Amino acid sequence: MGTVKEWNELAGQLAVDSIRSSTAAGSGHPTSSLSAAHLSAVLWSDHLRYDVADPKGLANDRFVLSKGHASPLMFSILKAVGAIGDEQLLSFRRFGSPLQGHPVPLPDMPWIDVATGSLGQGLPIALGMALAMRMDGIPARVWCLLGDSEVAEGSVWEAMANASHDGADNLIAIVDVNRLGQRGPTMLEWDLDTYSARALAFGWHPIVVDGHDVAAIDAAFVEAEQADRPAIVIAKTEKGHGVSFLANREGWHGKALSQEEAERAIAELGGPRDLSVTPRKPEAGVAPAEDAPNVTLPAYTEAIATRKAFGETLAALSARPEVVAIDGEVANSTYTEDLQKVAPDRFVEGYIAEQNMLGMAVGMQVLGKIVFPATFAAFFTRAYDFIRMAAISRADLRLSGSHAGVSIGEDGPSQMALEDIAMMRAVHGSTVLYPCDGNSTAALVAAMADLPGISYIRTTREKTPAVYGAGETFPVGGSKTLRSSETDRVTLVGAGITVHEALGAAEALAADGIAARVLDCYSIKPIDGEALRTASSETGLVVTIEDHWVEGGLGDAVLEALAADGILSGRVIKIAVTQMPGSGAPEELRDWAGISADAIAGTVRSLLR
């Protein structure tokens, strides 16, 4: 166990190195790092159980720096524990350095589990880690360091509510209450009683402490470790602590010190040190995962809603012990309840708190879980920042959005996701899938389980007839040509619900002597550019049909594929939703939007006239 002198010396080194690295970079957040230096010194010296040589080991405690702008502190810690050297520390924020402006997990930065810096995300992620540990019986804890400004974020309180409800007593939050935000005082400043009362009201065990008294911090951490519920250490600190011209002074947020200022500050902090610390080793090892068992996918011959096929496939995939579902209190609509029935210990109810749901998913996948978060497609929009940040974290997530488009019918436009495909296509490295029947859904959900990055499957509320036989393959990036001839004059491109409308339109056009090719682009990103270019070349006219806004969806994906070489060959017409819908029957709304079989056929007739 460290002594008061040792803890204070290490805190001084962390403060000095935070200044040295940010001054070398000419940018960064040194004052936000100084406020948490004592908290970090005690935590990493005596409480965090962590094998620096095996940072991905499942037995480790986890540390999440939710206040990611304090990255100089994080990298100074990594230097102190021997993960990086001084030369690398001073490469902070330089082009090509893994020590980026806010922490990012990279191959040569394995000690960082998730990207942070978009505030309010660390605690939901930490909760997901804590729940994953409990699922596997891992006797580890998750420590999450938050800034006081980000406690205004609703996602923090979503996580607070869920954590106490789930009894996550292996989760410890630390709030660095340094009073000052970016432009001035925070909402509560140093009103620690209010912080404590709010935490208590949310079912947490609050502990108020002087954040620069290392002995008191040690005692607080011991108390938090012994709590029978989630604990939160509320630490009163000073921004820029230890430096006379920085401490509790406004106007220094996000500003690196000049070389002269840095020298003065470092002198006040007692000068540079070269201390090293070895965190405590984890309590127990964790057995390696078993080989993946065989999974028997459901097969369909009758009509079924693809959302139901998703749920039944998820239940089948639960034979793999790492598969987990998280739902936003709509499990009887997304059908994640099918997994809940067969593997209740791997179903997490996220309630109507989609930001926390996505954060938990990011945390769980860090510990090897294959996570499927599901809700209505429209509700992912309010958690989009978490999805964007998950991509920066190099996270593997499998999102399922049901009840999409005008096809949901009478519920009206507030429930109609009409921008979800555009939104998900814009995520770096994402995969976007939209199956039209039960068998294609089963195959694609199974494929998602092993896809890297962020994948998204859009499912349909209505039952749709079987188009494909059981066992047919659906490679990601592929498509299916459902109807074609040598005399085709138009290619109708659909996905999901509009595949059926395109087939109906092709039948109607055939009665007029017009041959139409029908292409099912079940994989919207990546899309089958080769099949599209062939169809465009052979038919001369491509018509895309989608139950989505005209911007950013299937039509734009097709246009991009056809113009991949900078030259758009053939003629492309997009049919999509262009006006604000209202309530109505699904068939009525598709006809109103111009994406019903009859409306498609009418548009094609006018185009070929």
Side-chain angles (χ1 to χ4, degrees), residues 173-440:
I174 306 166
V175 185
D176 177 15
V177 186
N178 64 24
R179 194 185 76 85
L180 294 175
Q182 178 167 328
R183 58 92 194 99
T186 58
M187 183 187 296
L188 296 179
E189 300 193 38
W190 280 325
D191 184 357
L192 305 186
D193 289 341
T194 297
Y195 278 107
S196 182
R198 290 180 179 180
L200 189 63
F202 271 74
W204 284 55
H205 179 76
I207 306 162
V208 174
V209 69
D210 179 341
H212 301 300
D213 181 338
V214 290
I217 293 168
D218 178 58
F221 288 168
V222 170
E223 182 180 340
E225 290 164 342
Q226 295 173 347
D228 60 356
R229 49 186 163 148
I232 183 167
V233 176
I234 302 162
K236 181 180 180 181
T237 64
E238 278 188 320
K239 202 166 187 172
H241 179 78
V243 179
S244 60
F245 60 92
L246 298 178
N248 196 31
R249 299 290 183 93
E250 295 187 29
W252 281 99
H253 182 89
K255 292 183 179 179
L257 279 64
S258 68
Q259 190 61 45
E260 180 183 348
E261 290 166 337
E263 290 173 0
R264 287 176 54 203
I266 290 170
E268 287 192 34
L269 291 165
R273 289 87 148 169
D274 192 20
L275 305 173
S276 62
V277 62
T278 302
R280 294 168 56 194
K281 286 292 188 286
E283 283 190 0
V286 176
E290 299 177 2
D291 293 337
N294 292 325
V295 174
T296 302
L297 299 180
Y300 305 99
T301 56
E302 304 295 330
I304 187 172
T306 57
R307 61 181 174 134
K308 177 61 173 169
F310 163 77
E312 292 181 355
T313 305
L314 199 56
L317 287 173
S318 70
R320 300 176 63 170
E322 65 272 36
V323 170
V324 175
I326 309 180
D327 198 274
E329 205 190 294
V330 287
N332 59 344
S333 288
T334 61
Y335 285 103
T336 55
E337 67 177 11
D338 290 345
L339 177 139
Q340 183 183 20
K341 292 171 184 174
V342 297
D345 58 322
R346 286 183 279 124
F347 173 86
V348 178
E349 179 57 77
Y351 300 96
I352 307 298
E354 290 84 4
Q355 295 180 95
N356 182 58
M357 179 179 75
L358 266 295
M360 287 193 295
V362 172
M364 287 183 174
Q365 63 86 42
V366 168
L367 275 81
K369 298 304 180 188
I370 296 174
V371 194
F372 285 84
T375 186
F376 289 1
F379 299 165
F380 277 121
T381 59
R382 65 172 64 133
Y384 188 59
D385 186 39
F386 279 76
I387 299 170
R388 177 189 72 88
M389 286 295 293
I392 299 172
S393 288
R394 279 69 171 173
D396 299 330
L397 296 183
R398 294 90 184 166
L399 313 182
S400 176
S402 70
H403 293 63
V406 300
S407 294
I408 73 163
E410 290 84 354
D411 281 348
S414 70
Q415 309 297 296
M416 296 172 180
L418 289 167
E419 55 284 296
D420 59 318
I421 293 174
M423 178 175 79
M424 297 300 183
R425 283 182 64 230
V427 174
H428 177 72
S430 64
T431 299
V432 180
L433 307 169
Y434 190 12
C436 72
D437 77 344
N439 289 319
S440 57

Side-chain angles (χ1 to χ4, degrees), residues 426-504:
V427 174
H428 177 72
S430 64
T431 299
V432 180
L433 307 169
Y434 190 12
C436 72
D437 77 344
N439 289 319
S440 57
T441 301
L444 292 170
V445 173
M448 289 172 73
D450 296 307
L451 283 178
I454 313 299
S455 54
Y456 173 67
I457 190 165
R458 191 190 215 218
T459 64
T460 300
R461 186 180 196 178
E462 299 170 76
K463 290 182 178 181
T464 51
V467 174
Y468 303 106
E472 186 155 352
T473 60
F474 293 84
V476 171
S479 66
K480 296 287 184 180
T481 301
L482 297 176
R483 184 179 180 124
S484 68
S485 73
E486 293 182 355
T487 60
D488 292 339
R489 299 176 60 194
V490 61
T491 299
L492 304 179
V493 180
I497 192 69
T498 62
V499 169
H500 303 278
E501 301 295 346
L503 288 169

Side-chain angles (χ1 to χ4, degrees), residues 24-148:
S27 63
H29 295 74
T31 58
S32 299
S33 299
L34 268 58
S35 62
H38 291 91
L39 295 164
S40 301
V42 176
L43 175 62
W44 282 80
S45 294
D46 281 273
H47 294 273
L48 191 78
R49 299 168 296 184
Y50 187 79
D51 187 347
V52 177
D54 184 21
K56 299 304 181 187
L58 295 181
N60 286 328
D61 280 4
R62 300 285 166 168
F63 176 72
V64 179
L65 181 69
S66 189
K67 51 175 284 180
H69 55 287
S71 55
L73 174 63
M74 183 74 251
F75 298 130
S76 297
I77 292 168
L78 292 182
K79 176 197 165 187
V81 299
I84 64 174
D86 196 64
E87 183 178 354
Q88 192 171 30
L89 175 70
L90 298 181
S91 74
F92 176 55
R93 289 192 169 213
R94 291 183 190 166
F95 182 74
S97 171
L99 281 65
Q100 299 191 2
H102 291 71
V104 176
L106 296 167
D108 46 0
M109 191 50 60
W111 306 277
I112 304 297
D113 285 320
V114 293
T116 55
S118 183
L119 295 177
Q121 298 207 10
L123 194 60
I125 291 170
L127 173 57
M129 293 175 174
L131 295 180
M133 289 172 177
R134 292 203 332 181
M135 286 179 187
D136 291 340
I138 298 172
R141 298 186 184 92
V142 187
W143 302 79
C144 181
L145 178 59
L146 299 94
D148 48 355

